[in-house]
Amino acid sequence: MKIPISKPYFDDEEEKIIIKPLQSGWVVQGPFVKEFEEKFSAHTKIPYTVASSNCTTALHLGLIALGIKRGDKVIVPSFTYVASANAIEYVGATPIFCDIDLRSFNLDIQKLEDIVVNNTDIKAIMPVHLFGLCANMPKIMELAKEYKLKVIEDCACGFDSWIGTKHSGSFGDCGCFSFHPRKAISTGEGGMLVTGIQTLAEKARCLRDHGASKSDLERHLQEGGSLLPNFNILGYNYRLTDMQGALGVAQMNKAQKIMQARRKIAQWYNEALADFPLLLLPQTPENFKHSYQSYVVLFSPSYEGLTLEMIAKYNKKRNIFMQKLESLGISTRQGTHAVHTLKYYCDKYYFKEDDYLTSLAADRLSISLPLYPQMSESEFDYLINSFKKVFG
């Protein structure tokens, strides 16, 4: 049996709707993108949504719209996908890395506070809702308010992630989502900036379309559309196509079904792996709702007392475990990067591996397990039996 790490959930609805832009001839950003934005807004309860070509471009738009510029400093977790830090680099700002809490894989609030208190030139915080669990946004927003910092939430993994009745992306100035095939909702590639601030949304819409004062769809629907719009600011071509928008509409129509299936499989894991040695399972704080964009475990005897030597020892064991699963047809992945260990950032900022020890531990010891809505019970049973075989 072959078990992939993930696969998008497409059915007849996507197959039927993807034809419609081709039939109409409107394949650039248009009516389906607008409908996708509206459905996303309704689901997340966030009033303004701006679709973009991917989450990285959405982050770039958000940073520019918030006025983050060259020389500014932005706090970002040191354990995240490299795109989070890259977007900060794009605007000429400096990423200030913060270590994580291994239980959540998100920003360590005490270490975040230490950075904010001891650096008067921080302009913004970019919390990441990693693997589908919201960062501790109430505490982060308290700090941001006290020190007058902008907050841009990296919600790449955060679709249908909640704290109480608030969706990820609704706490800060804006949030940015991904629709990559490994995400819960997929349009192949694609992103979405969300915000409660109308002026920020308007600026992001303008920036994503070369800085145009009107979109192609607006020109098409309004009188006088034969004349080109004005361009008052430097913009980018970060638009989503209407074919991707159509896929987004179909995905939003089945979002509840997709999320129920993902959480069901995560619960299967919670029960089946509860007593496995060396596997520390994901934890969800009270009043938080995990979306399980990925089901990530830590291959470690404990969260505490980790040293470079212990990390190296269990990293070898983890890699052997993953290789044996691969030989049985089961795909796994490292959770994500400790960005400060990547060559570009290491060379530019002279980091050492142990500068952010818990992030290094997460990099070397995390394992993302297969999870997709259409996983069958027989696939899951094969997966768990393979775990038992590998563990002996």
Side-chain angles (χ1 to χ4, degrees):
M1 188 176 288
K2 298 292 184 182
I3 310 290
I5 188 68
S6 180
K7 52 184 173 183
Y9 185 58
F10 295 146
D11 59 24
D12 290 348
E13 187 176 359
E14 282 80 6
E15 189 174 341
K16 291 174 183 175
I17 202 169
I18 196 69
I19 299 295
K20 293 184 178 180
L22 305 182
Q23 292 171 336
S24 72
W26 193 287
V27 295
V28 297
Q29 178 183 289
F32 275 116
V33 170
K34 186 173 185 294
E35 185 178 354
F36 180 31
E37 290 173 337
E38 290 168 350
K39 285 181 177 291
F40 201 85
S41 179
H43 181 92
T44 59
K45 304 177 185 177
I46 303 172
Y48 304 107
T49 48
V50 183
S52 67
S53 52
N54 54 63
C55 185
T56 312
T57 56
L59 289 168
H60 189 200
L61 292 175
L63 288 163
I64 297 170
L66 287 169
I68 305 302
K69 58 187 184 304
R70 184 169 301 280
D72 290 343
K73 294 182 178 179
V74 180
I75 300 173
V76 66
S78 43
F79 182 63
T80 183
Y81 191 60
V82 69
S84 308
N86 283 354
I88 297 167
E89 291 273 315
Y90 294 164
V91 297
T94 301
I96 303 298
F97 292 112
C98 178
D99 227 336
I100 60 155
D101 182 340
L102 278 174
R103 288 172 174 80
S104 67
F105 295 114
N106 288 325
L107 283 170
D108 183 310
I109 295 300
Q110 185 56 60
K111 291 176 181 176
L112 173 65
E113 186 171 3
D114 291 343
I115 293 172
V116 170
V117 169
N118 293 307
N119 291 270
T120 57
D121 52 355
I122 300 292
K123 298 296 184 184
I125 306 172
M126 184 186 286
V128 179
H129 307 306
L130 205 56
F131 309 136
L133 179 67
C134 285
N136 190 339
M137 292 309 300
K139 291 289 187 182
I140 290 170
M141 293 311 298
E142 283 179 18
L143 276 172
K145 184 176 180 181
E146 182 177 355
Y147 290 91
K148 298 180 173 56
L149 304 177
K150 301 292 186 183
V151 176
I152 177 169
E153 300 175 54
D154 184 335
C155 310
C157 302
F159 179 75
D160 209 43
S161 304
W162 302 80
I163 303 177
T165 59
K166 296 198 68 173
H167 196 283
S168 70
S170 66
F171 296 89
D173 296 279
C174 65
C176 299
F177 293 80
S178 170
F179 307 119
H180 179 274
R182 277 198 66 186
K183 303 305 188 279
I185 300 297
S186 178
T187 59
E189 284 282 5
M192 188 81 75
L193 181 147
V194 301
T195 182
I197 305 169
Q198 184 177 359
T199 53
L200 194 153
E202 289 171 350
K203 187 167 185 180
R205 286 193 191 103
C206 183
L207 285 164
R208 75 170 169 186
D209 193 10
H210 298 286
S213 56
K214 285 184 182 181
S215 70
D216 289 342
L217 183 60
E218 287 172 322
R219 289 173 55 213
H220 177 71
L221 296 175
Q222 295 173 5
E223 189 176 346
S226 56
L227 297 176
L228 289 172
N230 205 346
F231 293 81
N232 300 315
I233 60 174
L234 177 66
Y236 306 85
N237 184 358
Y238 286 171
R239 295 169 299 195
L240 193 70
T241 70
D242 232 40
M243 292 175 288
Q244 292 169 297
L247 288 177
V249 169
Q251 290 276 280
M252 291 305 300
N253 288 341
K254 59 172 70 72
Q256 186 175 358
K257 179 181 179 180
I258 289 172
M259 298 314 301
Q260 285 175 345
R262 297 187 77 88
R263 291 189 172 101
K264 178 187 72 175
I265 294 160
Q267 186 57 35
W268 288 353
Y269 273 126
N270 290 341
E271 294 168 2
L273 300 180
D275 297 323
F276 269 74
L278 297 180
L279 295 185
L280 301 177
L281 307 188
Q283 300 183 16
T284 305
E286 186 178 354
N287 207 35
F288 284 60
K289 190 174 183 181
H290 204 310
S291 67
Y292 297 103
Q293 179 272 328
S294 296
Y295 190 93
V296 179
V297 299
L298 201 69
F299 195 92
S300 174
S302 72
Y303 294 109
E304 309 294 340
L306 291 171
T307 62
L308 284 175
E309 292 76 18
M310 284 182 65
I311 292 169
K313 174 183 175 181
Y314 286 99
N315 171 250
K316 289 180 181 178
K317 292 176 181 289
R318 180 202 70 171
N319 292 350
I320 292 169
F321 175 63
M322 294 169 73
Q323 288 165 8
K324 287 184 176 180
L325 289 177
E326 185 178 18
S327 72
L328 295 171
I330 296 170
S331 297
T332 61
R333 295 289 186 272
Q334 166 189 348
T336 192
H337 310 291
V339 181
H340 74 283
T341 67
L342 301 179
K343 182 172 172 51
Y344 170 82
Y345 288 95
C346 192
D347 288 353
K348 183 172 182 178
Y349 297 107
Y350 306 104
F351 291 124
K352 301 189 297 296
E353 278 196 335
D354 59 349
D355 282 341
Y356 304 95
L357 192 63
T358 54
S359 295
L360 181 70
D363 178 303
R364 302 291 196 263
L365 305 179
S366 61
I367 311 174
S368 183
L369 302 180
L371 197 158
Y372 43 91
Q374 57 274 57
M375 181 182 285
S376 66
E377 289 190 43
S378 61
E379 286 177 311
F380 187 81
D381 289 343
Y382 175 78
L383 194 153
I384 296 303
N385 288 330
S386 298
F387 273 39
K388 292 176 181 177
K389 182 178 181 180
V390 171
F391 272 105

